[in-house]
Amino acid sequence: MKGLLMIARPHRALNDPKRAEDCELAIQLRLMELLSDAFDAGWGKLEVLAAMNRVADQAALKLDARVQVDVASYLKKFSRKS
């Protein structure tokens, strides 16, 4: 594992349209470092990218409790129909 890079702090207000772009740039180097570490460990590029997408999706669901409850209730309804 290489040295962890620092992520820059935000310098724009929450409502500034450029803030999202700043965030992407701030995490880009760390993300590339993580990808490189995974590839160096022997994981394939497609499986690493797919895993990262799944982890990001799961994190997003956990951060939004309303969505998490909605998804759980949808899955209950769906499983009853099957």
Side-chain angles (χ1 to χ4, degrees), residues 17-38:
K18 292 274 191 177
R19 187 175 165 108
E21 183 180 331
D22 290 350
C23 183
E24 289 176 25
L25 290 172
I27 67 171
Q28 186 175 18
L29 288 175
R30 182 75 81 69
L31 179 61
M32 296 309 290
E33 186 178 48
L34 177 61
L35 286 168
S36 179
D37 287 349

